[in-house]
Amino acid sequence: KNEVEQSPQNLTAQEGEFITINCSYSVGISALHWLQQHPGGGIVSLFMLSSGKKKHGRLIATINIQEKHSSLHITASHPRDSAVYICAATRNYGGSQGNLIFGKGTKLSVKP
Amino acid sequence: DGGITQSPKYLFRKEGQNVTLSCEQNLNHDAMYWYRQDPGQGLRLIYYSQIVNDFQKGDIAEGYSVSREKKESFPLTVTSAQKNPTAFYLCASSRGGKTGWYYGYTFGSGTRLTVV
């Protein structure tokens, strides 16, 4: 079982829909990251959170430490939101403390 | 603007040849990382360096080598010993140290290596 699990693996939505991507983790972490990867491959960091909720524009990220679960929400989705969204966790244990462990990503496609 | 530069974006090599991927940052970050991405899999850590002249193996270091002679540069060599070198390679950096992660990570745009 992967230490960081994302769902769904693929998601297709119509423009304007509310989107939720989920992430669960099974290890001790210092922080949870949501990243966006565009078709060219480069990755942009969207959020880093260790508790509660953060909002940036139409994007909202939440984390529940007790349940070891995080969600990324996109309100009023737009075709330009189409990308792969990756959940990653900063390890707080072992020799690789501070390093990231990644989920497999969720490929989002928003249709006009 | 500060950032990470990876070059080249696409790289083709013949089987059995070593190849070096470049990663340069001007963020004054102490820590640098190399990740490998394969279709359907999450990014996996190859090597990381927390300080100049020091680096550590990650989860999949076999067949790879790195150096960290300068703070700004962390080149990755894919050797002929790497059995499946075709992949997307991503470099990242952070402030480093025990709390450097708090300031987040910066990622490069990646290099797609194809071995034929």
Short mmCIF file of all heavy atoms in Angstrom, two decimals, chain B residues 47-79:
data_model
loop_
_atom_site.label_atom_id
_atom_site.label_comp_id
_atom_site.label_asym_id
_atom_site.label_seq_id
_atom_site.Cartn_x
_atom_site.Cartn_y
_atom_site.Cartn_z
N TYR B 47 18.05 10.91 -5.44
CA TYR B 47 19.10 11.40 -4.57
C TYR B 47 18.69 12.75 -4.01
O TYR B 47 17.87 13.46 -4.59
CB TYR B 47 20.41 11.61 -5.36
CG TYR B 47 21.37 10.46 -5.38
CD1 TYR B 47 21.41 9.58 -6.47
CD2 TYR B 47 22.25 10.24 -4.33
CE1 TYR B 47 22.30 8.52 -6.50
CE2 TYR B 47 23.16 9.17 -4.36
CZ TYR B 47 23.16 8.32 -5.44
OH TYR B 47 24.05 7.27 -5.48
N TYR B 48 19.25 13.10 -2.86
CA TYR B 48 19.05 14.43 -2.34
C TYR B 48 20.32 14.91 -1.66
O TYR B 48 21.18 14.12 -1.25
CB TYR B 48 17.85 14.50 -1.37
CG TYR B 48 17.99 13.69 -0.11
CD1 TYR B 48 18.32 14.30 1.10
CD2 TYR B 48 17.75 12.32 -0.11
CE1 TYR B 48 18.41 13.56 2.27
CE2 TYR B 48 17.84 11.57 1.06
CZ TYR B 48 18.17 12.20 2.24
OH TYR B 48 18.26 11.46 3.39
N SER B 49 20.43 16.23 -1.56
CA SER B 49 21.60 16.85 -0.96
C SER B 49 21.12 17.97 -0.05
O SER B 49 20.35 18.83 -0.46
CB SER B 49 22.50 17.41 -2.06
OG SER B 49 23.49 18.26 -1.51
N GLN B 50 21.57 17.94 1.19
CA GLN B 50 21.18 18.98 2.15
C GLN B 50 22.20 20.10 2.24
O GLN B 50 21.91 21.17 2.78
CB GLN B 50 20.98 18.36 3.54
CG GLN B 50 19.84 17.35 3.63
CD GLN B 50 18.48 18.01 3.67
OE1 GLN B 50 18.35 19.24 3.61
NE2 GLN B 50 17.42 17.22 3.76
N ILE B 51 23.41 19.82 1.70
CA ILE B 51 24.47 20.81 1.81
C ILE B 51 25.53 20.51 0.76
O ILE B 51 25.63 19.36 0.28
CB ILE B 51 25.07 20.81 3.22
CG1 ILE B 51 25.87 22.08 3.50
CG2 ILE B 51 25.89 19.56 3.46
CD1 ILE B 51 26.23 22.24 4.95
N VAL B 52 26.29 21.50 0.40
CA VAL B 52 27.35 21.32 -0.59
C VAL B 52 28.30 20.21 -0.16
O VAL B 52 28.61 20.06 1.02
CB VAL B 52 28.12 22.65 -0.80
CG1 VAL B 52 29.31 22.45 -1.72
CG2 VAL B 52 27.19 23.70 -1.37
N ASN B 53 28.74 19.43 -1.14
CA ASN B 53 29.69 18.33 -0.95
C ASN B 53 29.14 17.17 -0.13
O ASN B 53 29.91 16.35 0.38
CB ASN B 53 31.00 18.82 -0.32
CG ASN B 53 31.79 19.71 -1.28
OD1 ASN B 53 31.82 19.46 -2.48
ND2 ASN B 53 32.42 20.74 -0.74
N ASP B 54 27.83 17.11 -0.01
CA ASP B 54 27.20 15.99 0.70
C ASP B 54 25.90 15.63 0.00
O ASP B 54 25.14 16.53 -0.40
CB ASP B 54 26.93 16.35 2.15
CG ASP B 54 26.43 15.15 2.92
OD1 ASP B 54 27.07 14.08 2.84
OD2 ASP B 54 25.39 15.26 3.59
N PHE B 55 25.65 14.34 -0.16
CA PHE B 55 24.39 13.91 -0.75
C PHE B 55 24.06 12.51 -0.24
O PHE B 55 24.95 11.78 0.23
CB PHE B 55 24.46 13.93 -2.28
CG PHE B 55 25.67 13.29 -2.88
CD1 PHE B 55 25.75 11.91 -3.07
CD2 PHE B 55 26.77 14.06 -3.27
CE1 PHE B 55 26.87 11.33 -3.63
CE2 PHE B 55 27.89 13.50 -3.82
CZ PHE B 55 27.95 12.12 -4.00
N GLN B 56 22.79 12.18 -0.32
CA GLN B 56 22.29 10.91 0.21
C GLN B 56 21.46 10.19 -0.84
O GLN B 56 20.76 10.82 -1.64
CB GLN B 56 21.42 11.15 1.44
CG GLN B 56 22.08 11.96 2.54
CD GLN B 56 23.26 11.25 3.15
OE1 GLN B 56 23.27 10.02 3.24
NE2 GLN B 56 24.27 12.01 3.56
N LYS B 57 21.50 8.86 -0.80
CA LYS B 57 20.66 8.07 -1.69
C LYS B 57 19.20 8.17 -1.27
O LYS B 57 18.88 8.20 -0.08
CB LYS B 57 21.10 6.61 -1.66
CG LYS B 57 22.45 6.35 -2.28
CD LYS B 57 22.78 4.86 -2.26
CE LYS B 57 24.13 4.61 -2.91
NZ LYS B 57 24.47 3.17 -2.90
N GLY B 58 18.34 8.21 -2.27
CA GLY B 58 16.91 8.16 -2.02
C GLY B 58 16.42 6.73 -2.16
O GLY B 58 17.15 5.77 -1.94
N ASP B 59 15.17 6.61 -2.59
CA ASP B 59 14.53 5.30 -2.65
C ASP B 59 14.97 4.46 -3.86
O ASP B 59 14.88 3.24 -3.83
CB ASP B 59 13.01 5.47 -2.67
CG ASP B 59 12.52 6.23 -1.46
OD1 ASP B 59 12.95 5.90 -0.33
OD2 ASP B 59 11.71 7.17 -1.62
N ILE B 60 15.43 5.12 -4.93
CA ILE B 60 15.74 4.39 -6.16
C ILE B 60 17.07 4.86 -6.75
O ILE B 60 17.17 5.22 -7.91
CB ILE B 60 14.61 4.52 -7.21
CG1 ILE B 60 14.29 6.01 -7.48
CG2 ILE B 60 13.36 3.81 -6.76
CD1 ILE B 60 13.46 6.22 -8.74
N ALA B 61 18.13 4.85 -5.96
CA ALA B 61 19.42 5.42 -6.37
C ALA B 61 20.24 4.53 -7.31
O ALA B 61 21.16 5.02 -7.98
CB ALA B 61 20.25 5.75 -5.14
N GLU B 62 19.92 3.27 -7.40
CA GLU B 62 20.75 2.35 -8.20
C GLU B 62 20.78 2.76 -9.67
O GLU B 62 19.74 2.97 -10.30
CB GLU B 62 20.22 0.92 -8.08
CG GLU B 62 21.10 -0.10 -8.77
CD GLU B 62 20.62 -1.53 -8.56
OE1 GLU B 62 19.73 -1.74 -7.72
OE2 GLU B 62 21.14 -2.43 -9.25
N GLY B 63 21.99 2.87 -10.22
CA GLY B 63 22.15 3.24 -11.62
C GLY B 63 22.25 4.73 -11.84
O GLY B 63 22.33 5.17 -12.98
N TYR B 64 22.26 5.51 -10.77
CA TYR B 64 22.37 6.96 -10.85
C TYR B 64 23.55 7.44 -10.02
O TYR B 64 23.95 6.78 -9.06
CB TYR B 64 21.11 7.64 -10.33
CG TYR B 64 19.84 7.30 -11.07
CD1 TYR B 64 18.98 6.32 -10.60
CD2 TYR B 64 19.51 7.97 -12.25
CE1 TYR B 64 17.82 6.01 -11.27
CE2 TYR B 64 18.35 7.67 -12.93
CZ TYR B 64 17.51 6.69 -12.43
OH TYR B 64 16.34 6.39 -13.10
N SER B 65 24.10 8.61 -10.37
CA SER B 65 25.10 9.25 -9.53
C SER B 65 24.87 10.76 -9.57
O SER B 65 24.29 11.28 -10.52
CB SER B 65 26.52 8.91 -9.99
OG SER B 65 26.77 9.45 -11.27
N VAL B 66 25.32 11.45 -8.52
CA VAL B 66 25.16 12.90 -8.44
C VAL B 66 26.44 13.51 -7.89
O VAL B 66 27.32 12.82 -7.38
CB VAL B 66 23.98 13.31 -7.52
CG1 VAL B 66 22.65 12.89 -8.11
CG2 VAL B 66 24.18 12.74 -6.12
N SER B 67 26.52 14.82 -7.98
CA SER B 67 27.57 15.58 -7.34
C SER B 67 26.96 16.88 -6.85
O SER B 67 25.95 17.34 -7.36
CB SER B 67 28.73 15.85 -8.29
OG SER B 67 28.30 16.66 -9.38
N ARG B 68 27.61 17.49 -5.83
CA ARG B 68 27.13 18.78 -5.32
C ARG B 68 28.37 19.60 -4.97
O ARG B 68 28.70 19.84 -3.82
CB ARG B 68 26.23 18.57 -4.10
CG ARG B 68 25.57 19.88 -3.63
CD ARG B 68 24.33 20.19 -4.35
NE ARG B 68 23.79 21.50 -4.05
CZ ARG B 68 23.00 21.77 -3.00
NH1 ARG B 68 22.72 20.83 -2.12
NH2 ARG B 68 22.54 22.99 -2.83
N GLU B 69 29.04 20.06 -5.99
CA GLU B 69 30.26 20.85 -5.81
C GLU B 69 29.96 22.32 -5.56
O GLU B 69 30.77 23.04 -4.99
CB GLU B 69 31.17 20.68 -7.03
CG GLU B 69 31.66 19.25 -7.22
CD GLU B 69 32.49 19.08 -8.48
OE1 GLU B 69 32.71 20.09 -9.18
OE2 GLU B 69 32.89 17.95 -8.77
N LYS B 70 28.79 22.76 -6.02
CA LYS B 70 28.36 24.14 -5.81
C LYS B 70 26.96 24.15 -5.26
O LYS B 70 26.15 23.27 -5.56
CB LYS B 70 28.40 24.92 -7.14
CG LYS B 70 29.74 25.05 -7.78
CD LYS B 70 29.68 25.97 -8.99
CE LYS B 70 28.74 25.44 -10.05
NZ LYS B 70 28.71 26.35 -11.24
N LYS B 71 26.63 25.16 -4.51
CA LYS B 71 25.30 25.25 -3.91
C LYS B 71 24.21 25.33 -4.98
O LYS B 71 23.12 24.82 -4.82
CB LYS B 71 25.23 26.50 -3.03
CG LYS B 71 23.99 26.62 -2.17
CD LYS B 71 24.11 27.83 -1.25
CE LYS B 71 22.96 27.88 -0.28
NZ LYS B 71 23.09 29.01 0.66
N GLU B 72 24.56 25.98 -6.11
CA GLU B 72 23.57 26.24 -7.14
C GLU B 72 23.29 25.05 -8.05
O GLU B 72 22.31 25.04 -8.77
CB GLU B 72 24.04 27.40 -8.03
CG GLU B 72 24.33 28.70 -7.31
CD GLU B 72 25.69 28.69 -6.63
OE1 GLU B 72 26.57 27.90 -7.03
OE2 GLU B 72 25.87 29.47 -5.67
N SER B 73 24.17 24.06 -8.03
CA SER B 73 24.12 23.03 -9.05
C SER B 73 24.06 21.62 -8.47
O SER B 73 24.79 21.30 -7.52
CB SER B 73 25.35 23.17 -9.95
OG SER B 73 25.37 22.19 -10.95
N PHE B 74 23.21 20.77 -9.05
CA PHE B 74 23.07 19.41 -8.57
C PHE B 74 22.82 18.50 -9.77
O PHE B 74 21.72 18.02 -10.01
CB PHE B 74 21.89 19.33 -7.59
CG PHE B 74 21.78 18.05 -6.81
CD1 PHE B 74 22.89 17.40 -6.30
CD2 PHE B 74 20.53 17.50 -6.54
CE1 PHE B 74 22.79 16.23 -5.57
CE2 PHE B 74 20.40 16.33 -5.80
CZ PHE B 74 21.54 15.70 -5.32
N PRO B 75 23.86 18.21 -10.57
CA PRO B 75 23.67 17.40 -11.77
C PRO B 75 23.46 15.92 -11.46
O PRO B 75 24.03 15.39 -10.50
CB PRO B 75 24.97 17.61 -12.54
CG PRO B 75 25.97 18.00 -11.50
CD PRO B 75 25.22 18.73 -10.44
N LEU B 76 22.64 15.29 -12.27
CA LEU B 76 22.32 13.87 -12.13
C LEU B 76 22.86 13.11 -13.34
O LEU B 76 22.55 13.48 -14.48
CB LEU B 76 20.81 13.67 -12.05
CG LEU B 76 20.31 12.22 -12.05
CD1 LEU B 76 20.58 11.55 -10.72
CD2 LEU B 76 18.81 12.17 -12.37
N THR B 77 23.64 12.07 -13.11
CA THR B 77 24.12 11.23 -14.19
C THR B 77 23.36 9.92 -14.18
O THR B 77 23.30 9.23 -13.15
CB THR B 77 25.63 10.97 -14.07
OG1 THR B 77 26.33 12.22 -14.21
CG2 THR B 77 26.11 10.02 -15.17
N VAL B 78 22.77 9.61 -15.31
CA VAL B 78 22.09 8.34 -15.50
C VAL B 78 23.11 7.41 -16.15
O VAL B 78 23.54 7.65 -17.29
CB VAL B 78 20.84 8.49 -16.39
CG1 VAL B 78 20.08 7.18 -16.49
CG2 VAL B 78 19.94 9.60 -15.85
N THR B 79 23.54 6.41 -15.44
CA THR B 79 24.60 5.55 -15.95
C THR B 79 24.04 4.38 -16.75
O THR B 79 22.83 4.11 -16.71
CB THR B 79 25.48 5.01 -14.80
OG1 THR B 79 24.75 3.98 -14.12
CG2 THR B 79 25.86 6.12 -13.83
#
